Amino acid sequence: MKAIAAVYDSIEKKSILQILDVQKEPMGPHDVRIEVKAISVNPVDYKVRNSITKENPGPRILGWDGAGVVTELGAKVSTLQLGDEVFYAGDLKRPGSNAEFQVVDEFIVGKKPKTLSFKEAASLPLTTITAYESIFEKLKLDPMTNKTVLVVAGAGGVGSITIQILKQKTNAKVIVTASRKESITWVSSLGADLVVNPNKDYLEQIQTFGLNGVDEALLLSDPKDHFENLAKVLLPFGNICSIVESGSPLNMNLLKSKSNGYLNEFMFTKSMYQTEDRIKQKQLLEEIAELVDKGKIFPTNKLDLGEMTVESLNKAHELLQTGKTIGKIVLGGIKK
């Protein structure tokens, strides 16, 4: 099959993308083979690409968001059938979705929303799983409580679906950080109740709305840039859930006096360690798919770069690394 992989280029002395002919991955008993119809890109793509070095030359097939059609079933597959249209984020330890076909564990694959195209559906899986696990498994937010939740970097991929899940599945008041006009417009259209500037004091801004602080915070950007601001605005016994590694050490003592917690969310943990509860990812994807089909939640694709090629993937990675993208970048299947 054809795939686009990251490989080390000894002349340019860096990783580059190349289109290759590769063998299809063997299947395990609970695996399904999916013909990839569309993908979206995430920061994990260029981060893994940057790990390709002279000592670790690849090739490595990237891509951890996909939508497509099931074409082959493992011997013990029980939750999917041939021809099912699906969406999924995949497994960081296995070849990714930048290929004609991808093999994925059935327990982390959901049936795609019926009302969405493959490209629209591909915009959702990784961010949806990340947001859902952050809200309900890490912060343990009770859907019936009226907590105030601050979402830092709300206009990005994860933020765009986090806002929607919070508004559709909880009674939370959602405060979002955004600074550019287009970002503010976007997060407001998704349901954000209030918007604050990420470059100014959070507490001072929130107090102008008549609030004393926030109950919980979702940190979707480098913690080092926001940690002190968050520690100041967080109310006693509240928590920060971060999806990003910090670029520098954090002073956890700032959380001590208010008994605040700091939690990590990494949606690949379940698949990497084959935890018994990984089927929850299938279940939550299909739960969100129902809300999509009811018109309650909308896909977050904002930029369509056409078919998947070396050129279009390079452009997608470059745009993501600016840190200024809104929503998700999507591409179709690999150009034949």
Side-chain angles (χ1 to χ4, degrees):
M1 68 172 184
K2 291 188 182 302
I4 296 175
V7 299
Y8 182 74
D9 187 298
S10 58
I11 297 174
E12 295 194 29
K13 299 189 185 308
K14 65 177 184 178
S15 65
I16 62 169
L17 297 179
Q18 282 188 347
I19 188 161
L20 303 172
D21 286 312
V22 299
Q23 293 294 317
K24 291 181 179 178
E25 183 184 0
M27 292 178 60
H30 285 288
D31 286 338
V32 294
R33 194 180 309 279
I34 299 164
E35 182 181 3
V36 180
K37 297 290 189 179
I39 67 161
S40 68
V41 294
N42 298 283
V44 66
D45 295 54
Y46 67 74
K47 289 178 181 178
V48 173
R49 175 180 175 174
N50 290 342
S51 72
I52 300 298
T53 62
K54 183 178 181 180
E55 292 72 31
N56 177 38
R60 180 81 188 270
I61 301 172
L62 309 175
W64 290 279
D65 254 335
V69 178
V70 175
T71 60
E72 191 176 346
L73 304 174
K76 295 184 178 180
V77 170
S78 60
T79 64
L80 293 167
Q81 298 179 347
L82 293 175
D84 279 346
E85 295 185 350
V86 295
F87 69 147
Y88 56 91
D91 183 339
L92 193 60
K93 295 169 68 176
R94 302 181 74 169
S97 57
N98 295 178
E100 287 185 84
F101 296 91
Q102 184 179 8
V103 175
V104 189
D105 178 349
E106 65 168 319
F107 297 124
I108 58 173
V109 176
K111 293 180 182 177
K112 89 168 182 65
K114 297 181 178 65
T115 55
L116 297 189
S117 68
F118 285 110
K119 283 184 175 179
E120 290 171 324
S123 73
L124 291 172
L126 185 147
T127 54
T128 294
I129 296 170
T130 300
Y132 195 106
E133 290 184 348
S134 296
I135 295 165
F136 298 113
E137 295 185 12
K138 303 305 187 304
L139 296 178
K140 300 186 185 302
L141 206 64
D142 183 337
M144 301 309 295
T145 57
N146 297 308
K147 287 192 172 182
T148 300
V149 180
L150 175 61
V151 181
V152 178
V158 177
S160 297
I161 192 66
T162 296
I163 296 166
Q164 296 187 75
I165 293 175
L166 283 168
K167 297 304 296 183
Q168 291 299 324
K169 292 188 62 61
T170 78
N171 288 326
K173 178 184 287 291
V174 182
I175 304 175
V176 177
T177 72
S179 58
R180 291 178 294 146
K181 182 179 179 180
E182 57 268 36
S183 300
I184 295 170
T185 300
W186 174 246
V187 299
S188 298
S189 74
L190 297 174
D193 295 300
L194 302 169
V195 181
V196 297
N197 190 318
N199 304 311
K200 298 180 180 179
D201 187 284
Y202 293 159
L203 182 57
E204 289 181 2
Q205 294 178 83
I206 286 170
Q207 286 174 335
T208 65
F209 302 126
L211 301 171
N212 295 321
V214 300
D215 296 298
E216 311 286 352
L218 280 145
L219 181 49
L220 314 180
S221 185
D222 192 329
K224 69 177 174 59
D225 298 328
H226 306 277
F227 186 73
E228 291 185 14
N229 215 348
L230 284 175
K232 184 177 177 182
V233 76
L234 206 60
L235 291 168
F237 309 111
N239 300 285
I240 298 168
C241 180
S242 174
I243 70 166
V244 183
E245 294 179 355
S246 180
S248 61
L250 304 175
N251 181 8
M252 290 296 167
N253 290 330
L254 295 177
L255 305 180
K256 179 66 175 177
S257 68
K258 288 189 284 186
S259 297
N260 297 136
Y262 188 87
L263 307 163
N264 288 293
E265 160 61 18
F266 188 52
M267 61 125 317
F268 292 113
T269 299
K270 287 184 171 74
S271 56
M272 287 177 71
Y273 293 94
Q274 289 291 285
T275 61
E276 291 184 3
D277 66 344
R278 66 190 186 281
I279 195 171
K280 287 182 178 180
Q281 295 192 341
K282 170 193 286 289
Q283 294 165 345
L284 73 86
L285 283 174
E286 295 184 349
E287 180 182 340
I288 297 302
E290 288 184 17
L291 290 173
V292 170
D293 287 336
K294 291 177 181 177
K296 302 291 187 181
I297 283 180
F298 300 93
T300 57
N301 53 295
K302 283 286 284 181
L303 179 61
D304 184 341
L305 293 181
E307 292 179 300
M308 193 193 328
T309 64
V310 169
E311 292 74 23
S312 61
L313 275 174
N314 273 326
K315 183 176 181 180
H317 291 184
E318 289 169 6
L319 290 170
L320 269 187
Q321 289 181 86
T322 67
K324 296 181 178 180
T325 55
I326 295 175
K328 294 294 292 291
I329 301 170
V330 297
L331 302 94
I334 197 165
K335 187 174 182 180
K336 303 296 174 68

